């Protein structure tokens, strides 16, 4: 009952509720006592009335005092948005690059390894929104410039004193004579405990609002599990009443990372429902998965009601088919969220048509790269501004090349751009994500 009282936010209402409750209890108790004692004396009844009034006054006072106490005691579970989400430039965060030390390196599966990071300056580890990512910079021998990549934060630790990234080793695609993934292989092979990695502050809009009560369905395959881990953990910690469905697909037990970690979370949180689906289970995986096949809409339909929020991260074909399936099930776009780790997602959206269709588009433009001192003529076949810059020996920083991470953001001095994709990264007014943009006016001046 005290807990219910503590949940009432308004001190006035809490005070009134406490007063009414104590008044009722005392009145009832004295009435029963007088009835049992069969008191004939009028003063006994007066005593009952005074006791009830005194009880109400004490209740009101207690309600007020309990307001502040309840607030203090519950601060970790009832964090407001502003407490949970630390802006990155409020003194607690940082701007631009900050060095982190790898304090632990843990193999999670055949292809995923986790890296635990703490600031080299031993300062605070600012909080982040579950689902956000870090952008890291790697100096790799043989590469002409630092390699910048983006990795989701895969943990939501308590106490909040490290960041964890969990990285899949990217092999060269089968049948293609190309080098394997630069950054992921470097991380796996060269980065050890004690290595220093510069990182930008947590960022990203693919986040779970833990304060909501609508069920959250977290669907992933492969390394797409990483943002789901921080989402499920944050929810378990701050709002364990919110039902969560954690649905994950893996090839078999060797490729299934974080199995035990999620199971341990489920033991703490009875509202966390789990479903593991293996596409090619081995005999020794028996008992470690719930069903065989690929995670698809049919499975989701069997498991959960469509009145939920759906969060997806995984391979683009996997997400594309799920997004289409959820649409068929009548789930509105406003309740479907996804993040692609690679190519931009080719999803038609009623909510957000590609910006190109709404902004001007030119076939030819003069681009002034002001910082590089180059004035060049761009044609439509030259592709995005990033591709055009690279082809002309201007090498801007980039990571996702898909409008997700914000690494390629660049200030526009003059002119306009036309986006080829809808950006998902948060960008400042007057800036452009050059990886997904082409010129929108015949002259464009960029701070590049
Ligand atoms: C928001 C966000 C969050 C992310 N979170 C995670 C995460 O939590 N964990 C994670 O592991 N990854 C994550 N990623 C992906 C990550 O940022 C990198 O893209 C990934 O690690 C691959 O980088 P790489 O340098 O190893 O590979 P790259 O060098 O970029 O190569 C990628 C692939 O292309 C192949 N390739 C190389 N050259 C060619 C060529 N000429 N033609 C065709 N193919 C070629 C490579 O063999 C490799 O398979 C995330 C990405 C985004 C945008
Ligand atoms: S490189 Fe990530 S938004 Fe452009």
């Amino acid at each position: 009952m005290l807990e219910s009282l503590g949940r009432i936010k308004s001190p006035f209402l809490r005070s009134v509720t406490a007063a009414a409750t104590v008044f009722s209890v005392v009145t009832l108790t004295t009435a029963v006592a007088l009835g049992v004692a069969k008191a004939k004396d009028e003063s006994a009844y007066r005593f009952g009335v005074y006791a009830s009034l005194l009880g109400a006054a004490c209740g009101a006072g207690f309600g007020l005092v309990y307001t502040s106490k309840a607030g203090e005691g519950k601060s970790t579970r009832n964090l407001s948005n502003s407490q949970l989400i630390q802006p990155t430039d409020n003194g607690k965060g940082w701007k631009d690059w900050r060095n982190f030390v790898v304090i632990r390196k843990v193999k999670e599966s055949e292809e995923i390894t986790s890296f635990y990071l703490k600031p080299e300056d031993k300062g605070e580890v600012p909080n982040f929104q579950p689902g956000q990512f870090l952008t890291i910079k790697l100096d790799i021998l043989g590469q002409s410039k630092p390699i910048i990549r983006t990795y989701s934060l895969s943990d939501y630790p308590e106490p909040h004193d490290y960041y964890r990234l969990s990285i899949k080793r990217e092999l060269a695609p089968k049948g293609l004579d190309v080098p394997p993934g630069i950054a992921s292989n470097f991380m796996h092979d060269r980065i050890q405990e004690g290595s220093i990695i510069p990182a930008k502050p947590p960022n990203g809009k693919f986040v779970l609002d833990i304060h909501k009560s609508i069920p959250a369905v977290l669907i992933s395959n492969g390394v797409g599990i990483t943002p789901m881990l921080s989402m499920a953990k944050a929810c378990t910690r701050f709002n364990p009443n919110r039902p969560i469905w954690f649905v994950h697909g893996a090839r078999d037990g060797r490729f299934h990372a974080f199995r035990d970690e999620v199971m341990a979370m489920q033991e703490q949180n009875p509202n966390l429902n789990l479903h593991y689906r293996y596409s090619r289970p081995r005999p020794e995986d028996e008992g470690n998965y719930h069903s065989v096949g690929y995670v698809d809409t049919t499975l989701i339909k069997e498991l959960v009601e469509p009145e939920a929020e759906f969060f997806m991260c995984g391979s683009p074909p996997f997400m594309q088919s799920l997004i289409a399936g959820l649409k068929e099930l009548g789930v509105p776009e406003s309740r479907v969220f996804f993040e692609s780790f690679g190519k931009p997602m080719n999803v038609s959206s009623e909510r957000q048509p590609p910006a190109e269709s709404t902004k001007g588009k030119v076939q030819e433009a003069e681009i002034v790269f002001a910082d590089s001192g180059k004035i060049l003529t761009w044609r439509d076949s030259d592709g995005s501004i990033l591709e055009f810059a690279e082809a002309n020996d201007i090498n801007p920083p980039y990571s996702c090349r898909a409008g997700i991470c914000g690494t390629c953001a660049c200030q526009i001095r003059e002119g306009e751009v036309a986006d080829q994709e809808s950006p998902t990264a948060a960008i400042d007014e007057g800036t452009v994500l050059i990886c997904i943009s082409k010129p929108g006016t015949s002259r464009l001046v960029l701070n590049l």
Side-chain angles (χ1 to χ4, degrees):
M1 194 179 111
L2 273 181
E3 202 178 319
S4 312
L5 191 66
R7 281 201 205 108
I8 302 174
K9 288 206 177 87
S10 155
F12 174 72
L13 269 184
R14 196 172 299 180
S15 179
V16 170
T17 309
T21 309
V22 181
F23 179 83
S24 314
V25 171
V26 175
T27 308
L28 204 71
T29 317
T30 45
V32 170
L34 290 173
V36 170
K38 295 196 174 88
K40 300 215 169 59
D41 189 352
E42 198 185 310
S43 64
Y45 290 94
R46 209 175 299 128
F47 169 76
V49 172
Y50 290 153
S52 300
L53 289 176
L54 187 69
C58 290
F62 177 77
L64 276 178
V65 173
Y66 192 70
T67 303
S68 54
K69 292 234 169 99
E72 282 160 26
K74 296 202 150 260
S75 61
T76 53
R77 294 240 156 208
N78 288 334
L79 286 184
S80 68
N81 262 332
S82 60
Q83 284 168 298
L84 178 69
I85 303 155
Q86 305 275 356
T88 49
D89 57 355
N90 65 353
K92 292 185 173 176
W94 73 98
K95 279 185 176 170
D96 214 20
W97 299 104
R98 183 183 185 193
N99 279 349
F100 282 79
V101 187
V102 176
I103 52 156
R104 257 180 97 199
K105 180 178 175 185
V106 179
K107 186 172 163 129
E108 308 285 4
S109 73
E110 256 326 89
E111 40 182 27
I112 297 177
T113 293
S114 286
F115 300 85
Y116 290 71
L117 310 176
K118 276 198 173 201
E120 191 187 27
D121 58 24
K122 301 200 174 4
E124 217 173 302
V125 178
N127 211 339
F128 62 95
Q129 297 181 67
Q132 287 194 306
F133 55 75
L134 281 192
T135 299
I136 62 168
K137 183 163 71 167
L138 303 169
D139 281 316
I140 301 180
L141 206 67
Q143 297 296 324
S144 56
K145 57 176 184 166
I147 299 296
I148 298 174
R149 293 288 183 270
T150 303
Y151 293 101
S152 300
L153 290 152
S154 64
D155 200 357
Y156 206 86
E158 190 179 9
H160 195 83
D161 59 359
Y162 64 83
Y163 291 131
R164 183 176 74 179
L165 308 179
S166 303
I167 300 179
K168 178 187 165 205
R169 185 194 283 279
E170 291 294 345
L171 303 174
K174 277 196 187 116
L176 274 189
D177 185 18
V178 294
I182 300 170
S184 57
N185 283 281
F186 181 79
M187 290 293 294
H188 277 246
D189 298 335
R190 303 274 167 206
I191 293 293
Q192 306 299 345
E193 287 170 12
S195 299
I196 304 285
I197 300 177
K200 285 202 173 187
N203 203 347
K205 291 202 280 191
F206 178 64
V207 294
L208 178 91
D209 180 348
I210 51 148
H211 302 283
K212 290 189 180 173
S213 54
I214 182 170
V217 187
L218 313 179
I219 314 170
S220 60
N221 72 359
V223 74
I225 194 170
T226 51
M228 305 310 176
L229 290 166
S230 71
M231 289 182 180
K233 285 194 176 189
C235 214
T236 296
R237 192 163 133 205
F238 294 113
N239 187 5
N241 292 330
R242 182 173 187 180
I244 305 174
W245 273 95
F246 196 103
V247 186
H248 181 67
R251 190 195 309 173
D252 60 44
R254 290 169 304 165
F255 296 90
H256 184 182
F258 305 108
R259 183 180 173 277
D260 295 343
E261 195 170 309
V262 179
M263 303 286 271
M265 204 184 338
Q266 194 190 28
E267 276 175 23
Q268 283 175 35
N269 182 356
N271 285 319
L272 177 70
N273 307 284
L274 200 54
H275 193 97
Y276 292 142
R277 176 167 270 206
Y278 286 3
S279 55
R280 276 174 276 160
R282 304 162 305 158
E284 57 265 50
D285 293 330
E286 199 57 48
N288 287 344
Y289 60 93
H290 300 93
S291 64
V292 179
Y294 291 102
V295 172
D296 55 15
T297 324
T298 315
L299 174 69
I300 300 300
K301 204 170 137 188
E302 277 169 24
L303 295 176
V304 291
E305 294 294 323
E307 279 69 41
E309 282 189 338
F310 295 84
F311 295 82
M312 280 168 272
C313 188
S315 59
F318 157 84
M319 288 197 287
Q320 255 146 11
S321 85
L322 276 166
I323 290 166
L326 289 174
K327 197 172 179 181
E328 273 174 34
L329 289 182
V331 179
E333 275 189 3
S334 57
R335 286 202 264 110
V336 178
F337 309 91
F338 55 87
E339 181 146 271
S340 164
F341 282 177
K343 295 257 174 292
M345 291 280 295
N346 186 18
V347 178
S348 68
S349 164
E350 289 142 20
R351 203 174 28 180
Q352 224 181 8
E356 192 180 31
S357 62
T358 57
K359 284 193 184 169
K361 192 184 162 197
V362 293
Q363 293 301 311
E364 193 175 301
E366 180 187 79
I367 306 186
V368 180
F369 292 98
D371 296 349
S372 317
K374 290 190 179 179
I375 302 175
L376 301 163
T377 303
W378 170 94
R379 288 183 189 82
D380 197 37
S381 55
D382 289 322
S384 68
I385 299 171
L386 174 61
E387 288 167 326
F388 181 61
E390 287 171 331
N392 288 284
D393 290 331
I394 301 166
N395 289 306
Y398 70 85
S399 173
C400 68
R401 302 183 80 97
I404 304 164
C405 69
T407 306
C408 68
C410 162
Q411 198 85 32
I412 306 176
R413 281 200 203 169
E414 192 188 314
E416 280 185 21
V417 293
D419 294 341
Q420 295 166 269
E421 316 282 340
S422 299
T424 47
I427 49 168
D428 295 333
E429 185 84 4
T431 58
V432 52
L433 297 176
I434 56 171
C435 67
I436 53 161
S437 304
K438 291 180 173 182
T441 46
S442 58
R443 182 178 149 87
L444 184 64
V445 184
L446 298 172
N447 270 3
L448 200 65

